[in-house]
Amino acid sequence: MLNKWTFRGLKLAKEISTWSKDPSTKVGSVILDQNHRVISVGFNGYPKGCNDDGMENREEKYKKVLHSEINAILFAKQDLKNCTIYVYPMPPCCRCAGAIIQSGISSIITLEPSPEQYERWGDDFDIAYKMYQERNVHFMQYSISEFDEECLKDKNNGN
């Protein structure tokens, strides 16, 4: 069972992911401080002011898109030491892991990658996991079924 703040962080990251214009992969991130205050949010997309056309062209998209974690870190514009980043629907890649570590974020909470996600990006996830271990960054993954169960309970409670 997810605790209240873990669920809230992941649920908010899920909502933020819907803001992405990427037709194939929508990712959201939320950074909370130690008092559970929202510091920043981010979703995967092109840099501010760049035309969103071309998302269907995978090769161009991969060269232009900023990941949600990077957007959240850049928009924070403050020290992120000891903050937690919640990432939905999959773990950060190794490039984002580097930025997370460098920013001072001390905890990452996300969902386990699906078999399809792991097949596609597993090498990146594995490198990121090693980086977290090297720097003693707290990393916690929950199964999608755990998260979905909490969402259902939340919906049944009228939230």
Side-chain angles (χ1 to χ4, degrees), residues 3 14 30 44 67 75 84 94 97 103 119 138 146 153-154:
N3 75 41
K14 180 181 181 180
V30 176
N44 58 313
H67 289 187
F75 286 124
T84 298
C94 57
S103 74
E119 183 178 322
H138 177 257
E146 283 178 285
K153 284 182 200 173
D154 193 54

Side-chain angles (χ1 to χ4, degrees), residues 90-153:
M90 67 184 107
C93 70
C94 57
R95 288 181 321 171
C96 289
I100 289 167
I101 291 166
Q102 204 66 5
S103 74
I105 291 172
S106 60
S107 184
I108 301 150
I109 299 178
T110 188
L111 298 179
E112 294 173 348
S114 69
E116 296 81 20
Q117 291 165 340
Y118 193 81
E119 183 178 322
R120 192 167 180 189
W121 297 297
D123 289 344
D124 265 15
F125 298 151
D126 290 343
I127 292 168
Y129 301 149
K130 289 177 187 169
M131 293 167 71
Y132 304 141
Q133 289 172 338
E134 288 174 15
R135 295 298 305 143
N136 293 319
V137 173
H138 177 257
F139 179 79
M140 189 68 194
Q141 295 185 117
Y142 293 91
S143 70
I144 189 71
S145 61
E146 283 178 285
F147 180 68
D148 287 345
E149 186 178 309
E150 292 296 322
C151 286
L152 185 59
K153 284 182 200 173

Side-chain angles (χ1 to χ4, degrees), residues 31 40 66-78 80:
I31 300 173
S40 186
L66 289 171
H67 289 187
S68 70
E69 302 92 330
I70 301 299
N71 271 325
I73 290 167
L74 291 172
F75 286 124
K77 297 192 187 314
Q78 72 177 62
L80 300 176

Side-chain angles (χ1 to χ4, degrees), residues 25-84:
T25 307
K26 296 183 181 297
V27 182
S29 293
V30 176
I31 300 173
L32 300 182
D33 69 11
Q34 292 175 309
N35 296 312
H36 309 295
R37 291 181 298 224
V38 175
I39 300 301
S40 186
V41 299
F43 55 90
N44 58 313
Y46 288 171
K48 181 172 68 171
C50 289
N51 189 330
D52 289 328
D53 293 341
M55 281 278 186
E56 299 80 28
N57 179 334
R58 237 178 173 56
E59 189 174 317
E60 181 181 341
K61 177 179 78 170
Y62 285 150
K63 291 178 180 176
K64 290 172 63 176
V65 77
L66 289 171
H67 289 187
S68 70
E69 302 92 330
I70 301 299
N71 271 325
I73 290 167
L74 291 172
F75 286 124
K77 297 192 187 314
Q78 72 177 62
D79 185 9
L80 300 176
K81 186 176 181 182
N82 297 320
C83 286
T84 298

